[in-house]
Amino acid sequence: MKPAAFAYAKARSLDHAIELLGGAPAEARVLAGGQSLIATLNMRLSSPDLLVDINAVPGLDGIAVKDGMLEVGALVRHAQAERSDLVAKHAPLIAMALPHIGHLAIRNRGTIGGSIAFADPAAELPACLLALGGEVSIAGPDGCRSVAAEQFFRGLFETALSPRDVLTAIRVPLAERDGRFGFAEFSRRHGDYAMVGLAAQARAEDGGLRAVRLVYFGVGATPVRARNAEADLARSDLAAAIGALARDLDPPDDLQATGAVKIHLAGVLLERVAQQLTGRERRPA
Amino acid sequence: MQESNKASGLSPLDRPNSYIGRSVPRPNLARLLAGRGQFVSDVVLPRMVHVCFVRSPHAHALIRAIDTAAAGRAPGVVAVVTGAELANVCTPWVGVLTHLKGLKSAPQHAVAVAKACWQGEAVAAVVAKTRALAEDAAELVGVEYEPLAPVADAETALDPGTPVIHAELGDNLAFERGLDAGEVDQAFRDADAVVEATFVFGRHTGVTLEPRAIVADWNPGEARLTIYQGTQAPHMMQNIFAKHLGLDEHQVRVLCKDVGGSFGIKVHVYADEMATAALSKLLKRPVKFVADRIESFVSDIHARDHRVKACIAVKNDGRITAFEIDDLTGIGPYSVYPRTSGIEANQIVNLVGGPYACPNYRARTRVVFQNKNVMCQYRAVGHPIAAAVTEGLVELAARKIGMDVLELRKRNLVADDAYPCASASGLKFEKLSHHASLDKLIALMDYESLRREQESLRRRRIFRGLGFAAFIEVTNPSAAFYGVGGARISSQDGALVRLDATGAIICHSGVTEQGQGTEAVLAQVVATAMGVSIERVRIVTGDTDNTPYGGGTWASRAAGIGGEAAWQAGKALRANVLAVAASILQAEAGKLDIRNGLVVDADTGRERIELHEVARIAYFRPDTLPPGFQAELMAVRHYVPRAYPFAFTNGVQASWLEVDPATGFVKLIRHFVVEDCGTIINPQLVDEQIRGGVVQGIGAALFEHCVYDAQGQLLNGNMADYLVPMAAEMPDIDVAHVETPTADSELGAKGAGEAGTAGAPGAVLNAVNDALAPLGAAPITEMPITPGVVLAALGKV
Amino acid sequence: MTAHTQVRLTVNGEEVFESVEARKTLVEFLREDLGLTGSHVGCEHGVCGACTLLLDGAIVRGCLLLAVQCDGCRIDTIEGVADSGTIADLQQAFAARNALQCGFCTPGMLLTAAQLLEEVGVPSREKIRARLSGNYCRCTGYHAIVDAVEAVARARANIPPQQGEGRIAEGDPGRGR
């Protein structure tokens, strides 16, 4: 499968990238890691007229603590984030998720920004961003803005990004001392997209949990917060939380599992992640 | 092993410096390890162009019109050709064999004419300077389809209301066969226990890492067609290209280079490959076709789409008294050419119950056409299904009468001293080793210890399972497989062996290499026969211009048949060389031998003359040889098995795994195989064939499934959605052997390439059911066994 | 025809300056424009690993990179790495254990394994399997490949080889000890 023809331009700066994106008469796409984009181009599922390569845009590949948040530049490669002490310390949930993303060859090129912007419903990082209550930094023709994760993921492969925007970074609150994190997913083979997965954050309090955020992925068009289950878990009622998933989630059947199987597995994930959150994990996710 | 080498008093296995039974490294490894292999997808010829096919998006549709004008004007396009136009260059074919009585199929064209019968069938060909440009132009081809209702369910394919795909055939029944041996009804009436189960096997495919690739080069100046193709059977393809392109066979040369995996996928005739050759003839220049992965999934043959209703009758003392099966398989709209899509079902009828001494057996199979991709032989053809059904029934029966699964087998497997004998289905067995193999397996896996571990883990609510599958396996086929049915597929094979002017040995063989180690095995045989170091042997295969007429590699025949031909040719050359040496030395040929590249006195080992010196004299100084003596430093021999239609092998496998009842996930811990393929020429290569075959079988058991919807659309035709086994989920695989040589050849080697795939799915299925047994799960009798299947069996979804 | 772009990159230590169509993937560029056919194409969607090669020293999928993106980069393919001799022990271990049959996955498998072996420590068999899980092999069933990688890891760490694990071909220094 060979891509349909397109023009190619290498952006020298963020402004240049935005200018290139806006300049095309028809469709232009941002090329960052390309691990999803080029596959879709190869299969002719997408035929843009122009690719704007942002890999040389300076300032987008840093990982730093800024204003009480951890900022991870859009061009940070998954493998780079995996090796980062800052990510391990300040965003342990993301550190737990990263090894599940594809295989090393993919992680050497795939970017944090690309994963968030592509918003595959079975991807790990969008769920982590939502679980952490993070935000997305976007640069566009009208300037820069920040969009909370809750407002960012809108539909199937649909985000708050407009065709002329460039996602520049994600920002997540720094992990607190009482912060607890849990991550687990089920996939048929190592490195596959998840059949269903769970990214979770909570705060430890008096032997229990508060501010529980349970975000499932692989269960719908976007990551889904299981709010009823969250409330039950905050009351330390795991059984009720598992039962609540049938109300919180309505996963469609797909090629890997039926909706009923996904709901069942979501319950098993909750059991395992709950143990991680309460520090009583008995086996790795 | 029959004849000793009378001159030296040694048998073939006792030759000095014999390579038989040694794990010698393959000669072709160095280039493959350096990325310097030459695969067909690497071939580039001057003025070569590329073809891309417009493929039907509909499973069943009339082709009303094809507008090629815009595509023809696209940049870089050389030609846009429809099926009707190509039919003037390439005649259609029909995939039937006379010995499959009643098998019928409609003519199939290189590119569809008038009707598209499966989603993915080629309806037009676009030829351009690059594949990318051809794909661009293909988007501009306008095809006007009139969709028809598709036949997408084998269960209803024969219903009166279902459309008939090919009206001229009358119905959608391709083939039907029944068999009734012994007194089946009586046996079921008298049984103490009867188990019935419906086994469902998911359609799947080979997924060779190098997709199908062909470069066809018609040179009008020479009136010759040269084909570079990853085919397993170059002479068969030579015949077919010639026949359908209006050429004489000798006008066609088929060349096989390195092949990136085949497993039977590349032994069949594909419409798009025939089209590529026809296009080259039409355009008078080389044309290359490399199937991309997406089109591979809708055009490589699929296999194993079966629903088998099966019953077993047993007595309380463990005697199996009857097997009965009713098989339904949904193939594609055509029976594949020339081996037919009836063979897999025919094999299943032949093979069910095979390892057991049970005279009562009834079977029926129906093969029906569907509007899905075509189906045909893929590694272990039919055996995985027959073994899974047989062994699934055996373990269910054992559970029903409260007998240990191995005890039940021991009471029913054909005794090791009961040969020769025949199965209830008429298969003739020369000599198998079911009991010796089972005993060896029990020791290899430390069976008792695993059962104890299983028991102890069950008390901790960890559920592991042990499952077994005994199997028989067809190898070294005679003409009974295809020739008797009228196919021009050679069951004999030939080897030409010659001594070159420097004393090296070159062997030209009709069998082929796709990575299993054919070249190594042939070199070992020739080096042993000739008494030379293996470094002095070169093997030539995969070239119809330069090898004896042969069958190629399939049905595990390369070592047993190709190897025997090479052995006989090697012995004949050795005799010829010793005749020359004798005449040079004025000695008796019968008192000489060749050892380590030297002609020696057989009884003392005294070195008399070097091989390269014999060659020098014969080639350059024949004037010094006695008058009337002519040196013949070349020999050709052929071989075909005659005593038995097939050289059956046997084996038994065990799967040790763990099931997580919470998630339905299966974790494979270890896999064990004991297999008997007769004389083993290269133990390492045999073991590696078995391991690779086991993993393919595991793929079928747990992961692989071509999923179609009710409209005949393949839903998961890509590498992300179609799950092939990858390293992290696969177990270590222990292999051991029993060796029962066949007397039908001097080497005594049977085949080994498919045994791993034959037994693995059944072993895994049985192991999963064994793991779930304490949980009261419903027995699972479908594959692939996905987490959803396990959860459903446990009543959790 | 679409516009072509000039790229300058280093391939196996050699400077390359070519004009290439934007849509041409890196692996196609290497195979067709430079004749380096050792990197293979198996799926064109990044799953099978047959196109694995090195970009600035890290393993990547050649089918998910455009040649034009690689301006200024260093590419190493199996041919260059093999010629350099740096994976000779790994190649020898593969040969000794017949950890390849058709050879189509082998370049990608070798480069992926080589990258793992550069990391500190002797990986467990489980870790080797996990790290190779992005490289599809249809022929071997993976067992011999894991054996080969494990053997090299142990040898490089000066740990004596395991006894009785699988068959080793004749002529291999690891045999018979």
Side-chain angles (χ1 to χ4, degrees):
Chain A
M1 309 94 66
K2 312 301 175 193
F6 49 80
Y8 168 87
K10 194 160 187 172
R12 293 181 300 274
S13 69
L14 201 50
D15 286 337
H16 186 211
I18 293 165
E19 182 194 323
L20 287 167
L21 287 169
E27 196 194 342
R29 298 283 297 269
V30 170
L31 173 62
Q35 303 303 280
S36 298
L37 178 65
I38 297 181
T40 61
L41 294 180
N42 284 345
M43 290 193 261
R44 296 199 182 209
L45 295 172
S46 168
S47 9
D49 301 292
L50 170 69
L51 287 200
V52 176
D53 184 344
I54 63 167
N55 283 283
V57 172
L60 297 184
D61 62 353
I63 304 173
V65 175
K66 279 185 193 170
D67 307 324
M69 297 188 86
L70 180 70
E71 182 174 281
V72 179
L75 287 180
V76 169
R77 311 282 172 191
H78 298 312
Q80 180 191 348
E82 242 181 305
R83 294 186 296 265
S84 162
D85 292 333
L86 288 174
V87 171
K89 177 172 180 191
H90 297 299
L93 181 60
I94 291 180
M96 292 163 86
L98 287 164
H100 291 269
I101 300 177
H103 303 284
L104 184 57
I106 300 287
R107 295 200 295 278
N108 280 336
R109 287 299 298 174
T111 62
I112 303 289
S115 178
I116 299 294
F118 189 58
D120 189 296
E124 293 80 2
L125 293 184
C128 290
L129 191 69
L130 187 54
L132 293 172
E135 57 194 44
V136 180
S137 302
I138 303 172
D142 301 326
C144 298
R145 65 191 194 282
S146 195
V147 178
E150 281 83 1
Q151 276 84 51
F152 183 78
F153 303 104
R154 300 202 174 156
L156 187 62
F157 300 108
E158 195 194 322
T159 68
L161 292 167
S162 78
R164 298 184 58 187
D165 286 332
V166 177
L167 190 158
T168 58
I170 63 165
R171 291 157 53 76
V172 296
L174 301 178
E176 307 265 355
R177 290 199 56 193
D178 62 347
R180 297 287 179 265
F181 305 94
F183 183 90
E185 69 173 54
F186 290 122
S187 61
R188 291 301 315 277
R189 304 170 306 179
H190 186 95
D192 281 350
Y193 276 112
M195 293 165 77
V196 59
L198 173 59
Q201 176 187 226
R203 304 291 266 266
E205 179 185 68
D206 300 333
L209 298 170
R210 69 173 178 89
V212 179
R213 294 170 73 95
L214 302 171
V215 181
Y216 281 93
F217 53 100
V219 293
T222 65
V224 176
R225 272 188 71 180
R227 291 183 187 274
N228 290 300
E230 288 174 356
D232 288 328
L233 199 60
R235 285 198 316 269
S236 300
D237 192 345
L238 178 59
I242 291 171
L245 292 173
R247 298 195 307 279
D248 286 331
L249 306 174
D250 184 19
D253 297 346
D254 67 22
L255 284 166
Q256 300 306 338
T258 60
V261 168
K262 288 192 188 228
I263 299 244
H264 175 87
L265 292 176
V268 182
L269 285 173
L270 186 51
E271 269 185 316
R272 297 185 183 178
V273 168
Q275 283 169 354
Q276 294 172 34
L277 293 174
T278 55
R280 287 196 282 274
E281 181 181 3
R282 278 176 307 169
R283 64 159 127 179
Chain B
M1 196 63 46
Q2 321 236 68
E3 297 198 354
S4 303
N5 180 326
K6 292 190 171 59
S8 63
L10 297 168
S11 76
L13 297 190
D14 295 333
R15 290 279 304 141
N17 305 316
S18 169
Y19 286 96
I20 309 300
R22 290 167 60 177
S23 294
V24 178
R26 294 161 49 204
N28 36 4
L29 292 181
R31 70 170 182 274
L32 297 173
L33 287 164
R36 290 179 189 269
Q38 283 194 294
F39 296 88
V40 176
S41 42
D42 301 335
V43 171
V44 175
L45 296 178
R47 297 190 67 233
M48 187 175 79
V49 286
H50 299 257
V51 60
C52 147
F53 293 95
V54 177
R55 295 185 180 274
S56 170
H58 303 288
H60 198 195
L62 295 174
I63 301 168
R64 284 291 179 212
I66 303 184
D67 182 358
T68 62
R73 288 190 299 269
V77 169
V78 168
V80 183
V81 183
T82 64
E85 290 163 343
L86 211 55
N88 295 325
V89 185
C90 181
T91 58
W93 53 84
V94 180
V96 295
L97 287 170
T98 56
H99 70 309
L100 296 178
K101 301 227 175 314
L103 173 62
K104 62 185 194 275
S105 186
Q108 184 181 7
H109 287 86
V111 172
V113 178
K115 196 159 106 134
C117 293
W118 82 87
Q119 178 229 354
E121 185 176 16
V123 300
V126 179
V127 185
K129 297 286 177 59
T130 69
R131 171 77 190 220
L133 290 171
E135 290 190 21
D136 293 344
E139 288 185 340
L140 302 174
V141 174
V143 184
E144 198 186 307
Y145 294 102
E146 184 183 313
L148 302 169
V151 179
D153 180 4
E155 300 283 353
T156 58
L158 300 177
D159 288 1
T162 302
V164 174
I165 300 173
H166 301 284
E168 68 272 28
L169 297 181
D171 58 28
N172 291 322
L173 181 68
F175 176 63
E176 182 170 25
R177 180 183 162 206
L179 183 153
D180 197 345
E183 302 291 333
V184 171
D185 291 323
Q186 183 73 40
F188 276 105
R189 275 196 295 272
D190 296 344
D192 291 326
V194 171
V195 172
E196 288 183 41
T198 298
F199 293 82
V200 178
F201 299 89
R203 183 185 256 250
H204 54 279
T205 185
V207 199
T208 59
L209 187 56
E210 182 197 20
R212 291 182 300 110
I214 181 172
V215 178
D217 181 13
W218 168 251
N219 183 336
E222 292 186 341
R224 276 209 109 199
L225 177 66
T226 303
I227 302 280
Y228 297 83
Q229 190 182 21
T231 180
Q232 295 172 218
H235 286 98
M236 182 195 84
M237 291 311 304
Q238 177 192 35
N239 164 262
I240 286 172
F241 284 124
K243 177 174 169 183
H244 292 281
L245 295 174
L247 301 170
D248 284 324
E249 216 165 282
H250 61 81
Q251 287 181 281
V252 180
R253 180 182 187 189
V254 179
L255 284 160
C256 311
K257 308 187 81 67
D258 291 314
V259 180
S262 187
F263 323 107
I265 301 301
K266 297 172 185 171
V267 80
H268 303 291
V269 168
Y270 287 91
D272 48 25
E273 294 178 20
M274 295 299 291
T276 305
L279 287 166
S280 178
K281 192 149 181 281
L282 187 67
L283 301 173
K284 303 182 175 52
R285 65 199 291 183
V287 180
K288 182 174 191 175
F289 170 60
V290 181
D292 66 39
R293 185 53 60 190
I294 303 298
E295 68 186 326
S296 280
F297 275 111
V298 294
S299 62
D300 286 0
I301 55 111
H302 290 180
R304 319 236 220 273
D305 190 344
H306 286 258
R307 181 273 288 142
V308 187
K309 293 183 182 165
C311 312
I312 185 173
V314 286
K315 305 291 269 178
N316 283 330
D317 65 5
R319 265 179 300 138
I320 297 171
T321 54
F323 284 101
E324 180 167 9
I325 64 157
D326 183 347
D327 170 60
L328 176 68
T329 176
I331 59 173
Y334 299 101
S335 169
V336 175
Y337 182 66
R339 294 168 192 258
T340 86
S341 304
I343 293 285
E344 185 178 90
N346 199 50
Q347 286 285 66
I348 290 168
V349 167
N350 287 338
L351 295 165
V352 166
Y356 298 103
C358 172
N360 307 312
Y361 173 49
R362 185 157 58 213
R364 172 174 86 139
T365 182
R366 286 170 302 156
V367 178
V368 299
F369 294 117
Q370 296 182 104
N371 294 114
K372 295 181 185 174
N373 189 11
V374 295
M375 259 182 35
C376 212
Q377 280 79 305
Y378 165 50
R379 194 176 199 173
V381 188
H383 293 67
I385 293 171
V389 168
T390 302
E391 294 298 272
L393 287 173
V394 162
E395 294 211 357
L396 289 171
R399 212 162 284 145
K400 192 154 189 180
I401 63 171
M403 183 174 285
D404 174 76
V405 296
L406 290 186
E407 184 56 37
L408 185 70
R409 287 184 170 94
K410 287 178 186 173
R411 293 186 186 196
N412 289 281
L413 287 169
V414 174
D416 289 353
D417 61 1
Y419 297 94
C421 64
S423 74
S425 60
L427 302 174
K428 295 183 173 37
F429 303 125
E430 178 189 1
K431 187 161 162 52
L432 300 180
S433 61
H434 290 297
H435 289 269
S437 297
L438 183 56
D439 289 342
K440 194 153 192 174
L441 179 74
I442 289 167
L444 174 71
M445 62 193 287
D446 197 355
Y447 174 67
E448 293 299 336
S449 155
L450 289 180
R451 280 291 186 209
R452 282 194 300 273
E453 193 178 342
Q454 178 184 39
E455 193 45 47
S456 128
L457 287 169
R458 272 179 180 164
R459 287 195 288 275
R460 290 168 42 201
R461 308 299 290 166
I462 293 171
F463 297 94
R464 292 201 177 170
L466 270 175
F468 297 87
F471 61 91
I472 54 174
E473 172 68 50
V474 162
T475 76
N476 295 0
S478 66
F481 220 163
Y482 294 114
V484 300
R488 293 177 75 87
I489 293 170
S490 181
S491 50
Q492 61 87 55
D493 231 281
L496 181 156
V497 188
R498 59 188 173 89
L499 184 74
D500 81 0
T502 68
I505 316 291
I506 295 99
C507 171
H508 303 243
S509 166
V511 296
T512 54
E513 166 86 63
Q514 294 83 38
Q516 64 277 81
T518 306
E519 288 181 24
V521 166
L522 292 173
Q524 287 176 250
V525 166
V526 169
T528 301
M530 278 297 300
V532 302
S533 161
I534 200 168
E535 277 82 37
R536 297 289 283 162
V537 178
R538 195 168 92 80
I539 305 293
V540 175
T541 63
D543 181 351
T544 54
D545 265 9
N546 284 303
T547 59
Y549 205 93
T553 294
W554 44 275
S556 305
R557 71 188 292 278
I561 296 180
E564 182 69 12
W567 173 250
Q568 297 298 332
K571 285 200 318 175
L573 179 62
R574 190 173 148 278
N576 289 358
V577 168
L578 290 181
V580 179
S583 99
I584 293 169
L585 299 168
Q586 293 298 299
E588 273 184 63
K591 295 198 165 138
L592 298 172
D593 194 3
I594 307 175
R595 296 176 196 166
N596 232 351
L598 287 153
V599 178
V600 304
D601 282 334
D603 45 7
T604 65
R606 178 167 77 105
E607 296 174 5
R608 302 296 305 275
I609 184 171
E610 303 207 49
L611 272 187
H612 63 75
E613 182 64 5
V614 174
R616 184 191 71 80
I617 293 170
Y619 285 123
F620 305 120
R621 296 306 312 273
D623 56 302
T624 64
L625 295 172
F629 179 85
Q630 174 60 56
E632 293 286 355
L633 295 184
M634 187 186 281
V636 185
R637 289 293 182 272
H638 295 78
Y639 171 73
V640 64
R642 296 303 301 274
Y644 284 87
F646 307 102
F648 273 95
T649 66
N650 65 275
V652 58
Q653 301 194 20
S655 171
W656 172 228
L657 51 78
E658 185 172 311
V659 182
D660 182 349
T663 62
F665 274 72
V666 174
K667 179 173 164 53
L668 301 170
I669 301 167
R670 204 150 187 117
H671 201 95
F672 306 90
V673 180
V674 172
E675 189 261 358
D676 184 348
C677 56
T679 304
I680 294 178
I681 299 169
N682 187 318
Q684 183 186 55
L685 296 185
V686 170
D687 284 1
E688 289 305 309
Q689 278 295 286
I690 289 172
R691 284 176 167 169
V694 163
V695 169
Q696 281 189 312
I698 290 173
L702 298 177
F703 291 104
E704 299 185 48
H705 194 180
C706 296
V707 179
Y708 274 90
D709 71 9
Q711 296 307 308
Q713 298 288 312
L714 181 64
L715 299 177
N716 64 339
N718 63 74
M719 297 293 289
D721 294 327
Y722 180 98
L723 305 179
V724 292
M726 303 297 272
E729 289 72 39
M730 291 303 108
D732 282 350
I733 301 161
D734 294 328
V735 185
H737 297 277
V738 173
E739 284 188 50
T740 308
T742 172
D744 210 354
S745 71
E746 282 186 26
L747 282 174
K750 304 178 192 174
E754 297 168 274
T757 309
V764 171
L765 177 70
N766 282 339
V768 170
N769 283 325
D770 185 56
L772 296 177
L775 295 165
I780 294 172
T781 54
E782 70 177 283
M783 296 185 194
I785 305 166
T786 63
V789 166
V790 175
L791 290 173
L794 289 166
K796 295 192 174 179
V797 293
Chain C
M1 294 291 196
T2 56
H4 282 52
T5 307
Q6 308 278 32
V7 283
R8 171 180 264 126
L9 58 159
T10 307
V11 179
N12 295 330
E14 220 178 90
E15 188 166 288
V16 164
F17 187 46
E18 294 281 332
S19 174
V20 64
E21 209 186 346
R23 62 170 162 174
K24 186 166 256 193
T25 61
L26 176 64
V27 69
E28 269 204 310
F29 169 71
L30 293 166
R31 289 175 54 80
E32 293 174 13
D33 294 40
L34 303 186
L36 290 165
T37 56
S39 308
H40 298 140
V41 175
C43 75
E44 296 177 301
H45 41 289
V47 179
C48 75
C51 66
T52 304
L53 45 86
L54 296 168
L55 171 70
D56 293 337
I59 50 167
V60 293
R61 303 293 203 219
C63 71
L64 296 184
L65 272 159
L66 303 173
V68 293
Q69 284 184 273
C70 300
D71 191 55
C73 295
R74 188 184 100 233
I75 306 293
D76 294 284
T77 70
I78 183 62
E79 292 96 331
V81 175
D83 286 350
S84 75
T86 54
I87 57 166
D89 57 346
L90 187 58
Q91 290 168 305
Q92 173 56 32
F94 267 54
R97 282 165 180 74
N98 207 58
L100 65 153
Q101 292 183 23
C102 79
F104 206 74
C105 77
T106 306
M109 199 68 81
L110 285 170
L111 295 180
T112 303
Q115 192 102 124
L116 170 62
L117 290 168
E118 280 173 18
E119 294 172 17
V120 174
V122 176
S124 66
R125 290 179 74 85
E126 199 182 326
K127 177 157 185 186
I128 294 170
R129 284 182 178 276
R131 190 61 75 84
L132 295 179
S133 63
N135 291 79
Y136 174 47
C137 173
R138 192 50 141 174
C139 297
T140 67
Y142 306 106
H143 187 150
I145 296 176
V146 177
D147 282 351
V149 176
E150 184 182 40
V152 174
R154 294 174 71 93
R156 288 188 185 181
N158 291 310
I159 295 171
Q162 312 256 40
Q163 289 299 333
E165 271 296 326
R167 297 191 193 274
I168 301 176
E170 297 181 7
D172 181 69
R175 178 186 173 83
R177 271 196 275 153

